[in-house]
Amino acid sequence: MVAVSEELTPELAATIEEAFARRSRANMAPTIAFFEDLLREHPGNPYVLYEVGGSYDTDGQEEKALVYYERALPGLTGDTRRRCLLQYGSTLRNLARYDESLDVFTKACQEFPESDSLRVFKALTLHASGRKDKALASLLLVIADRVDTPEIKRYEASIRGNADYLYSQ
């Protein structure tokens, strides 16, 4: 029996990077085939599962991507987990599964509180689900938290106050 590795070894990481270097978003079929083959070589590896899901997602095959993301997530850690959560939540949004998407983003933002990209994509889900005031409020808070210019800092209290107001709507 072959031992199944759930790790991202340096060799596997290099193989994945090499595949990205050759990827064409206009024709994802070769990339999907490559990652499907890699998954056969590394069955159950969460990092490869994530890449297969991402390839299907990029190709517009969101339903297929979800299955791979869901299988990958329990075994992922660190930045790869954060990226998978973002792509998973975004894919749910693209499939109009807004409540599930918001749930993913809410939990992901708790797990990765410093991630601006998760906050921005959560705002996209809020917007898509018709909660435009809350979406704008979320983006205002990203601006207040992350844009460090004298002009923004001068109006930070006002920006935060407007965000609070919009959240309460």
Side-chain angles (χ1 to χ4, degrees):
M1 177 179 276
V2 176
V4 175
S5 172
E6 294 194 0
E7 296 179 24
L8 181 61
T9 64
E11 297 81 14
L12 184 54
T15 300
I16 290 169
E17 285 303 315
E18 184 181 310
F20 276 121
R22 294 189 317 259
R23 174 179 74 168
S24 167
R25 287 181 174 268
N27 179 14
M28 287 299 294
T31 302
I32 291 169
F34 177 85
F35 281 121
E36 288 279 11
D37 288 344
L38 192 61
L39 185 59
R40 280 188 277 285
E41 293 175 32
H42 301 273
N45 183 292
Y47 295 91
V48 179
L49 287 164
Y50 162 64
E51 299 299 348
V52 174
S55 297
Y56 279 116
D57 205 356
T58 300
D59 194 48
Q61 299 183 56
E62 288 94 351
E63 290 287 351
K64 266 190 156 173
L66 283 180
V67 174
Y68 289 98
Y69 291 154
E70 289 167 354
R71 289 177 56 202
L73 276 167
L76 296 176
T77 61
D79 193 55
T80 305
R81 179 172 171 79
R82 181 197 57 78
R83 289 192 323 262
C84 188
L85 286 165
L86 187 146
Q87 290 171 225
Y88 180 52
S90 185
T91 299
L92 288 166
R93 181 192 72 243
N94 290 339
L95 293 170
R97 293 167 58 177
Y98 304 125
D99 290 339
E100 292 170 82
S101 177
L102 282 174
D103 186 52
V104 167
F105 282 121
T106 298
K107 290 175 181 171
C109 287
Q110 290 168 353
E111 187 174 342
F112 299 96
E114 295 300 312
S115 175
D116 296 331
S117 60
L118 285 170
R119 294 167 68 193
V120 168
F121 277 81
K122 180 180 180 183
L124 288 170
T125 295
L126 287 165
H127 183 272
S129 68
R131 299 170 222 182
K132 294 175 182 8
D133 287 343
K134 287 180 177 39
L136 179 56
S138 294
L139 294 176
L140 286 173
L141 290 176
V142 171
I143 291 167
D145 289 346
R146 299 295 187 205
V147 178
D148 190 17
T149 65
E151 190 173 6
I152 293 295
K153 290 303 173 193
R154 176 182 175 100
Y155 297 104
E156 181 179 353
S158 178
I159 293 168
R160 290 184 187 283
N162 278 285
D164 289 343
Y165 171 77
L166 290 168
Y167 263 124
S168 70
Q169 296 304 301

